[in-house]
Amino acid sequence: MKKWILGVVGLFVAVTLAGCSSSTVANMTGAKVTKDEYYDAMKKTTTGQATLRNMIVLKALEQQYPNKVSDKKVNSQFNTLKKQYGSSFDTTLEQNGYTESSFKDQIRTTLYSEVALKALKKPTEKQIAAQWKKYQPKITVQHILVKTEDEAKQIISDYQKDPTEKNFEALAKKNSIDTGTKDKGGKLTAFDNTDTSLDSTFKKAAFKLTKAGDITTTPVKTQYGYHVIRVISVGKKGTMKEHKKDLENQLYTTWQSDQTVMNGIITKVLKKENVSIKDNDLKDVLSSYLSTSSSTSTSN
């Protein structure tokens, strides 16, 4: 799944482990499975414990930041991913242990976690200054990916004979093995220095290009093959003061992908909620966030 889905949320199970009644979950000839039996079995599994942990985290976030994440926003994120995965979406969900409902819960937790991050961790002037040193404004490029260096060199030569965007698009459609972009003339979504989806070598080469129409005059080798990169547009760097908001957003983007930072945020949220685990068998379910002494555990 996408990078913005945080590691704080694991596997969900489409079941509510509520109450300890003797209600029947499954019936068969001469036997049955009760909620008590099912609960006792589930709590001994990593899946069952993860489900409880995720439920606690989400409820704690909702308590502290009520109405900060709308159903509309969750559904929008969900539908965007569903569209991206197309016909493989249902299979991808199943392979990752999700139903549509549980995946929406994961998206909701991620969005609430971002709200908590911005509420509990503010960028310092020192951090902003450090971010400015490596700041690269958004750049939009197109690229052609081929298997060999000689192919890439030939494309560079063919482009230089007619250095236009139209020619580059034609070369991309004819030669690129990147099926996701070749029919769009090799165009990629705009990115800056916080992007984590692109190869670092690719980004470094792209950021060396300074104006529209510039291309890499030597092939750029990555794990995927050899690239020829052409700039469509480059944002202006300007001054640190002008881009302070951008720099803060970049820091938040970096922190959102840092499991240590995000675990620290969830720890603060849980401590404030004073979570009490009522089942001794599950007393350590929040140990990844809280020490045993930080939460109360009592027998039923």
Side-chain angles (χ1 to χ4, degrees):
M1 290 301 173
K2 293 292 183 182
K3 300 275 185 186
W4 54 265
I5 299 178
L6 303 177
V8 298
V9 186
L11 185 65
F12 276 74
V13 178
V15 62
T16 301
L17 299 178
C20 290
S21 69
S22 59
S23 300
T24 300
V25 175
N27 231 332
M28 63 200 83
T29 303
K32 64 181 179 181
V33 176
T34 67
K35 280 187 177 180
D36 283 349
E37 291 171 329
Y38 183 59
Y39 173 81
D40 286 341
M42 282 299 296
K43 72 179 182 180
K44 296 172 185 175
T45 67
T46 55
T47 296
Q49 291 172 15
T51 300
L52 176 60
R53 180 166 53 252
N54 298 330
M55 290 172 69
I56 292 171
V57 168
L58 179 53
K59 286 184 180 293
L61 287 164
E62 289 174 331
Q63 282 286 104
Q64 288 180 37
Y65 306 100
N67 305 316
K68 291 296 184 180
V69 175
S70 66
D71 289 342
K72 182 178 180 180
K73 190 169 185 179
V74 172
N75 289 331
S76 175
Q77 294 268 20
F78 177 87
N79 290 331
T80 296
L81 284 169
K82 187 173 184 178
K83 184 177 180 180
Q84 287 177 355
Y85 280 90
S87 59
S88 66
F89 182 71
D90 290 341
T91 302
T92 303
L93 282 186
E94 184 178 352
Q95 289 174 344
N96 286 275
Y98 298 108
T99 62
E100 288 195 1
S101 176
S102 65
F103 187 55
K104 285 183 179 180
D105 279 341
Q106 174 162 345
I107 293 172
R108 189 181 304 277
T109 303
T110 297
L111 293 173
Y112 266 114
S113 298
E114 292 173 6
V115 171
L117 172 65
K118 291 181 178 180
L120 298 174
K121 188 174 176 66
K122 303 297 184 183
T124 66
E125 290 301 318
K126 185 177 180 180
Q127 289 170 327
I128 292 171
Q131 187 67 18
W132 174 247
K133 288 182 179 180
K134 53 187 177 183
Y135 174 73
Q136 292 285 353
K138 283 196 172 182
I139 184 172
T140 303
V141 305
Q142 53 194 148
H143 82 125
I144 299 171
L145 174 64
V146 291
K147 292 181 179 179
T148 69
E149 185 176 13
D150 285 342
E151 287 177 285
K153 286 180 177 179
Q154 183 61 53
I155 287 168
I156 292 169
S157 176
D158 291 342
Y159 173 76
Q160 289 173 333
K161 293 173 184 176
D162 177 15
T164 62
E165 185 172 349
K166 184 178 180 180
N167 184 36
F168 195 93
E169 289 177 350
L171 290 169
K173 290 176 182 179
K174 179 181 178 181
N175 299 284
S176 184
I177 58 174
D178 181 356
T179 57
T181 66
K182 65 179 297 180
D183 291 335
K184 297 183 289 186
K187 186 176 180 180
L188 295 171
T189 302
F191 58 92
D192 60 25
N193 55 290
T194 61
D195 180 272
T196 57
S197 63
L198 295 171
D199 183 276
S200 59
T201 303
F202 183 98
K203 289 191 296 181
K204 186 176 181 180
F207 288 138
K208 285 182 178 179
L209 306 174
T210 59
K211 63 182 186 299
D214 284 353
I215 71 162
T216 48
T217 53
T218 56
V220 179
K221 184 181 180 181
T222 70
Q223 60 181 311
Y224 305 106
Y226 292 85
H227 306 257
V228 179
I229 305 170
R230 178 184 183 276
V231 175
I232 296 174
S233 64
V234 182
K236 293 182 178 180
K237 185 162 184 175
T239 66
M240 186 174 80
K241 185 177 180 180
E242 289 174 334
H243 290 285
K244 186 172 183 180
K245 193 64 181 178
D246 291 332
L247 297 171
E248 289 177 347
N249 288 336
Q250 286 193 351
L251 285 168
Y252 280 124
T253 297
T254 300
W255 290 337
Q256 285 164 16
S257 299
D258 188 323
Q259 188 170 343
T260 300
V261 171
M262 294 311 300
N263 278 0
I265 294 298
I266 298 304
T267 295
K268 289 182 179 180
V269 170
L270 293 173
K271 283 184 176 180
K272 187 174 180 179
E273 286 301 308
N274 192 29
V275 179
S276 176
I277 306 297
K278 298 298 185 180
D279 188 324
N280 264 338
D281 291 335
L282 294 166
K283 66 181 180 180
D284 294 325
V285 75
L286 297 176
S287 61
S288 56
Y289 303 116
L290 305 172
S291 63
T292 305
S293 60
S294 296
S295 61
T296 306
S297 176
T298 59
S299 300
N300 285 335

